[in-house]
Amino acid sequence: KQRGYTSQTIQSSQFIDMEYKQSRRQTNSRMISSQSQKRMELELEKIETDEAASFEYNLYNYMLGNYNPAKEVYLNRAEAIRPNDQRVLLQKTANECVKGDTVSTKHYLNKLKSNQTLDVETLDYTEDILASSKGNDILVTHGIKDSYGVLYHQLNGSSSGQKPLLVSLDLLRSSEYRDMLRQKGVLFPSSNQIDTDYFKNFCALNSEKKIAISLTLPIDYLKRISSYAVPYGLVLITGAQKELCLSDLEKLWTSELNKRNLTVHKSAQAKNYARNYAPSQKLLDRYEAQKRGAPYISAPNKLKPHKNKK
């Protein structure tokens, strides 16, 4: 047995970890279902009686609260026991983020970078997401890596606190996070279910703003707005966009994107990220073909001599 845990604690911990991970892998919702929540809460009660499992009890107690800062006392207890546990650092980053504490958020993002949770592929990729969404009011991301990678650049770069305003679907589970964004002029559907319907309604409600949507969102989400959006670099753009030309996309592609997940990194993760460059690449290939189709400037009409001879 690990560290004097009871076999019941080990079993319950494994169950909660597995159930929590599965809820995060859903492709059409960011919510933990109510059935899943109940199952995990039952297992949490079993852990509570094991004195050796104080860390697990406090960590899971916070995790099951949908990033609720009112429960941060549990998270702080878990952090006091294991300050460098990756799950603690991820939950602390979320907690500080939903509170709007940028100094503390930056502190935890730097820790995630130093322990490689925010790896070089993710940081290079999210730099390109930001380059693609420049000039937009809102940038919608999906999970941990895309949201925290973007935030890392925003809080560590010279453009700190500037647009686009990040809206993480994952963090929208927190009512505090939604309230904070509401104060910045973002509109939200009345539902608390963060799923594909919610996402489509969110885009419609905010259509007076320029919206960029990270291509890291699962296809179930992107399909819901695909007829109202166009690919631009690593995002789909929708809402009140000014008209863009293919030459704008060409300029972004050639001089503003680092594209290191296409050209430098060779990991499985890089290959995964590389796929999201394809929609823009196809548009640019077509643009190139059009340009090659008419390589010459058409000859001017011949000047005819005047017929008014003397």
Side-chain angles (χ1 to χ4, degrees):
K1 286 178 193 174
Q2 307 156 295
R3 300 185 188 205
Y5 295 154
T6 64
S7 53
Q8 178 61 66
T9 293
I10 294 168
Q11 218 178 320
S12 294
S13 295
Q14 285 170 344
F15 178 86
I16 293 173
D17 277 335
M18 192 181 71
E19 194 84 2
Y20 190 80
K21 275 186 188 137
Q22 274 177 334
S23 79
R24 300 189 67 79
R25 284 199 199 105
Q26 300 173 99
T27 59
N28 58 359
S29 173
R30 289 314 280 161
M31 302 303 290
I32 299 171
S33 74
S34 54
Q35 300 93 315
S36 177
Q37 184 86 19
K38 282 193 187 91
R39 287 196 294 267
M40 289 193 281
E41 282 168 2
L42 281 172
E43 297 302 321
L44 186 63
E45 283 171 24
K46 295 173 190 172
I47 294 175
E48 190 177 4
T49 56
D50 182 356
E51 280 174 26
S54 172
F55 171 77
E56 284 72 14
Y57 175 71
N58 284 296
L59 174 66
Y60 296 142
N61 208 326
Y62 177 81
M63 277 167 69
L64 299 187
N66 287 319
Y67 308 126
N68 179 0
K71 296 190 88 171
E72 75 180 341
V73 56
Y74 297 107
L75 183 56
N76 292 342
R77 282 180 202 152
E79 185 183 29
I81 300 166
R82 287 191 214 161
N84 293 315
D85 185 278
Q86 189 193 29
R87 293 166 301 173
V88 168
L89 294 176
L90 286 169
Q91 298 293 325
K92 281 297 289 188
T93 308
N95 188 65
E96 302 311 295
C97 194
V98 302
K99 289 195 303 187
D101 184 339
T102 50
V103 174
S104 194
T105 302
K106 183 176 171 178
H107 167 74
Y108 285 103
L109 286 168
N110 288 338
K111 283 192 162 197
L112 290 179
K113 186 192 175 206
S114 59
N115 78 4
Q116 304 277 296
T117 303
L118 283 179
D119 46 79
V120 66
E121 292 94 332
T122 297
L123 290 170
D124 282 343
Y125 183 81
T126 47
E127 191 174 74
D128 278 357
I129 290 181
L130 269 172
S132 306
S133 54
K134 210 155 90 191
N136 280 276
D137 302 309
I138 291 172
L139 166 61
V140 182
T141 54
H142 182 251
I144 287 170
K145 292 209 162 183
D146 58 351
S147 304
Y148 293 173
V150 163
L151 258 183
Y152 176 85
H153 289 302
Q154 285 187 320
L155 295 180
N156 283 287
S158 52
S159 63
S160 179
Q162 287 179 4
K163 287 179 178 176
L165 187 60
L166 180 76
V167 174
S168 158
L169 290 180
D170 187 43
L171 297 179
L172 284 182
R173 293 189 294 172
S174 158
S175 54
E176 280 77 6
Y177 183 65
R178 296 198 298 272
D179 289 343
M180 179 184 71
L181 291 171
R182 243 185 227 109
Q183 286 165 13
K184 295 180 179 181
V186 182
L187 303 171
F188 291 102
S190 53
S191 161
N192 286 331
Q193 287 300 314
I194 315 300
D195 55 16
T196 53
D197 284 341
Y198 185 97
F199 168 66
K200 188 181 179 184
N201 292 338
F202 171 84
C203 290
L205 279 172
N206 293 284
S207 61
E208 296 303 306
K209 299 180 175 70
K210 297 187 182 86
I211 305 172
I213 295 148
S214 170
L215 287 170
T216 44
L217 267 70
I219 197 78
D220 293 359
Y221 289 86
L222 300 178
K223 271 184 189 157
R224 299 302 304 273
I225 52 114
S226 59
S227 48
Y228 313 99
V230 291
Y232 188 73
L234 289 181
V235 297
L236 286 181
I237 53 174
T238 187
Q241 299 288 343
K242 66 177 176 60
E243 228 169 282
L244 285 163
C245 307
L246 281 164
S247 56
D248 294 318
L249 179 59
E250 188 177 46
K251 181 171 172 276
L252 172 77
W253 186 269
T254 51
S255 58
E256 290 163 43
L257 300 183
N258 66 59
K259 303 191 288 287
R260 284 190 280 269
N261 281 291
L262 284 177
T263 57
V264 178
H265 309 311
K266 301 287 177 245
S267 64
Q269 170 151 259
K271 286 193 179 81
N272 219 3
Y273 284 147
R275 287 192 202 122
N276 291 339
Y277 289 84
S280 283
Q281 221 164 359
K282 279 184 189 140
L283 278 177
L284 287 171
D285 289 347
R286 226 181 303 159
Y287 182 48
E288 273 305 306
Q290 279 171 1
K291 286 198 291 194
R292 281 200 304 274
Y296 305 108
I297 298 172
S298 52
N301 290 326
K302 283 203 172 104
L303 259 171
K304 293 197 172 87
H306 284 301
K307 284 182 182 158
N308 53 348
K309 291 177 186 168
K310 285 176 185 169

